[in-house]
Amino acid sequence: MSGEEQGAETRETPLTGRHRALGARLIPFAGWLMPVQYSGIIQEHKSVRSAAGLFDLGHMGQVEVTGPDALAFLQWVASSDISTLNPGDAIYGMLTNPTGGVIDDIIVYRHPDATAGYLVCVNASNRDKDVAWMHQQRAAHPEWNVTVDDISDTTGMIAIQGPNAEAIVQSLTDADLSEYRAFQWLPATVGGVGVMAARTGYTGEDGFEFFCDISGVGKLWDVLMAAGEGHGLVPVGLGARDTLRLEARMPLYGNELADDISPLEAGLGWAVALDKGPFVGREPIAAMKESGPPRRTVGFRLVDRGGSPRHGYEVQVDGRTVGQVTSGAMSPTLGENIGLALVERGVAGIGKPLDIIVRGKPVRAEQVKVPFYKRDR
Amino acid sequence: MSSPANLKYTKTHEWVRIDGDTVVVGITDHAQGELGDITYLELPEIGDSVSADAPLGVVESVKAASDVYSPVDGEVVERNEDAIASPELVNSSPYDAAWLIKIRVSDRDKLDALMGPAQYDEFAGESSH
């Protein structure tokens, strides 16, 4: 039960003072001081599923990729097929490494103005690594006329997620939100703040992620909080963000994804376009697809009581180690312990048993279909 | 909030109520607040021996698993089955409904080292900035 540890290099977002005033518990995360919870993880989680939640995403990184060869560059560094994006579209993908592992998972947004290039949203923990990698790849291809610009320090980011998100945002903007589909983004004025409003998120619910100039973040937060009164909107910390994304079976870098885990092993083959032409890591990923991935990421639920599965816990079958838990938690929506594990492919299969080793003792689990939670559409 | 005056406290955020030759042990309001929503308790069996300053069980929240430490040497004589069945009681009633275990004390000297409420409040305040 350690207290809050604030390193000298821990940065605050423009909203940190508001989080303190709301009574949030603040923790260091990826070099940032971020709210882990306000009222409590379970309550915040359930509010996002039933109403709406507001998230400070000031720690996330944003990289602008512009120039005549921006598409060629992104096709080379990203796993998904960026050429499929019309102006105003977004796509999930990964920055893959030469050995077929994952540097980061990203969303690439094509600007609605076709000449204005792309925005790549990256994880806070990987921002410096990603930017260095992109600059290195750009330098390795001097024939490409492309500019890579880390605009994280001047870009603010807030998400609103949940079934009431659209109604709340619609009350603050003239833009017709019913025109927005998932994985589109468009410029809008929300409560007087100019934003790029993206219909993306990390919770399994409908909602928006807003990008704006960092000077507008405080006002944007305030107008959304005010408009959310009567719609059940609550501020949500990183704790519930993690349980929400796990129920929706969305990967977390450092858990499901790593330098030495293939997208195929992570269950993200759908985000790898092997047929789009050459890209970093294509050959080892294609070879693994041919032979079959040696490990699989599977979903499970605990059948017996014995505590919650957590990242790094050993997984056994018949007393033999077959893998590790990548993420696990007591699911607030399901009221049972769920998790994802990276295991030898031979033991993977829905309905098949696993033993999760919790504090030295095996706890019985069964493999289940994922996602654990899917919203009604 | 002040901690109850009739209890003693450890530096690992357990509370201790001395009752003859037994002690009742739970975790403090500060501790439950730090942990957040409690989802699971793992406590020793009746008859198990426990040692001062060694883990006697585990409290799990949504976010993490944390050890609970024994304040004394002794033997477990009772455990709170209601709290085991409904771990959220630790959040709502850490000093009453969610006591965790009763221990028959074999070495009373350890009790002298525990903090009083004022001393604990100051200690807990310092550890949460």
Side-chain angles (χ1 to χ4, degrees):
Chain A
M1 278 172 237
S2 60
E4 294 154 11
E5 293 151 38
Q6 296 179 28
E9 293 157 35
T10 305
R11 300 175 61 185
E12 300 194 356
T13 78
L15 303 173
T16 309
R18 286 168 174 80
H19 304 322
R20 284 203 181 90
L22 287 162
R25 178 172 310 285
L26 299 167
I27 60 159
F29 176 80
W32 295 81
L33 188 63
M34 298 301 293
V36 66
Q37 66 168 62
Y38 302 81
S39 60
I41 293 173
I42 294 175
Q43 195 179 329
E44 292 164 31
H45 180 113
K46 290 182 171 174
S47 293
V48 174
R49 292 274 181 256
S50 65
L54 196 60
F55 302 73
D56 178 5
L57 301 183
H59 57 307
M60 301 285 286
Q62 295 84 23
V63 181
E64 215 166 52
V65 179
T66 53
D69 296 315
L71 174 60
F73 173 79
L74 287 169
Q75 287 288 65
W76 172 247
V77 295
S79 64
S80 42
D81 188 353
I82 310 303
S83 74
T84 63
L85 297 182
N86 291 314
D89 285 349
I91 192 169
Y92 176 83
M94 285 156 281
L95 298 176
T96 36
N97 67 31
T99 56
V102 180
I103 297 168
D104 199 5
D105 65 336
I106 59 175
I107 294 182
V108 179
Y109 299 85
R110 185 175 181 194
H111 205 282
D113 171 355
T115 63
Y118 300 81
L119 185 74
V120 182
C121 187
V122 305
N123 284 301
S125 54
N126 291 330
R127 171 185 161 191
D128 292 345
K129 178 181 77 169
D130 294 352
V131 171
W133 171 253
M134 284 194 262
H135 280 304
Q136 185 192 325
Q137 291 304 304
R138 182 186 51 81
H141 295 271
E143 70 277 16
W144 284 338
N145 183 352
V146 59
T147 302
V148 173
D149 194 7
D150 179 1
I151 60 166
S152 310
D153 288 342
T154 54
T155 304
M157 189 171 173
I158 288 175
I160 184 169
Q161 301 275 297
N164 295 350
E166 181 179 307
I168 293 165
V169 179
Q170 190 64 76
S171 73
L172 293 167
T173 184
D174 294 334
D176 182 0
L177 298 182
S178 65
E179 299 281 299
Y180 286 52
R181 286 182 287 106
F183 280 85
Q184 285 195 315
W185 72 328
L186 289 166
T189 303
V190 174
V193 182
V195 303
M196 290 300 298
R199 202 148 203 165
T200 49
Y202 196 47
T203 62
E205 298 298 332
D206 183 28
F208 299 88
E209 293 179 308
F210 299 114
F211 302 91
C212 66
D213 188 86
I214 195 141
S215 63
V217 167
K219 184 178 178 189
L220 181 61
W221 177 273
D222 292 341
V223 296
L224 287 164
M225 283 290 280
E229 275 185 47
H231 290 281
L233 179 71
V234 299
V236 181
L238 294 177
R241 184 168 162 82
D242 190 43
T243 51
L244 288 159
R245 71 90 195 165
L246 174 60
E247 286 182 352
R249 204 261 179 251
M250 292 171 161
L252 172 64
Y253 194 89
N255 288 26
E256 285 71 41
L257 298 173
D259 288 326
D260 58 357
I261 299 174
S262 165
L264 303 180
E265 296 176 311
L268 297 174
W270 58 270
V272 181
L274 288 172
D275 57 355
K276 73 170 178 173
F279 62 93
V280 178
R282 185 191 174 280
E283 285 72 25
I285 296 172
M288 184 182 283
K289 187 174 184 188
E290 193 70 24
S291 59
R295 301 175 295 181
R296 297 271 304 279
T297 298
V298 299
F300 65 85
R301 58 181 280 272
L302 294 192
V303 177
D304 290 340
R305 272 171 68 91
S308 293
R310 301 192 189 268
H311 175 68
Y313 281 11
E314 192 179 328
V315 179
Q316 295 183 351
V317 170
D318 297 330
R320 190 175 66 84
T321 301
V322 297
Q324 281 197 330
V325 174
T326 54
S327 295
M330 166 62 78
S331 159
T333 302
L334 305 174
E336 61 181 8
N337 283 293
I338 60 169
L340 297 169
L342 183 61
V343 298
E344 295 174 4
R345 67 175 166 190
V347 303
I350 289 165
K352 288 189 178 177
L354 298 172
D355 287 326
I356 311 301
I357 308 303
V358 180
R359 292 180 287 277
K361 282 179 283 189
V363 179
R364 275 204 308 147
E366 70 166 351
Q367 296 177 51
V368 295
K369 268 201 291 195
V370 289
F372 303 97
Y373 165 86
K374 199 167 186 185
R375 72 185 160 101
D376 299 326
R377 282 163 207 269
Chain B
M1 196 180 111
S2 304
S3 298
N6 60 325
L7 305 177
K8 299 286 190 186
Y9 301 89
T10 68
K11 287 187 173 174
T12 43
H13 304 284
E14 292 84 17
W15 58 260
V16 182
R17 191 172 75 227
I18 302 167
D19 185 10
D21 64 349
T22 65
V23 295
V24 182
V25 179
I27 70 166
T28 65
D29 188 54
H30 171 83
Q32 70 79 19
E34 290 280 317
L35 290 168
D37 297 310
I38 309 290
T39 55
Y40 185 74
L41 297 178
E42 188 168 288
L43 297 175
E45 306 283 344
I46 292 168
D48 284 0
S49 294
V50 293
S51 304
D53 306 323
L56 65 71
V58 174
V59 176
E60 290 203 28
S61 68
V62 176
K63 206 65 194 144
S66 300
D67 288 328
V68 179
Y69 293 88
S70 178
V72 293
D73 295 340
E75 179 190 329
V76 176
V77 293
E78 202 178 335
R79 56 182 210 162
N80 186 343
E81 300 295 340
D82 291 344
I84 292 170
S86 305
E88 64 278 7
L89 284 175
V90 178
N91 294 117
S92 58
S93 183
Y95 296 115
D96 297 304
W99 62 274
L100 298 180
I101 63 165
K102 291 183 185 170
I103 303 168
R104 183 175 298 120
V105 183
S106 58
D107 177 6
R108 297 188 64 82
D109 289 354
K110 299 285 185 189
L111 297 173
D112 297 337
L114 299 175
M115 288 181 274
Q119 197 185 351
Y120 175 71
D121 287 344
E122 191 181 337
F123 172 79
E126 282 169 4
S127 68
S128 66
H129 284 286

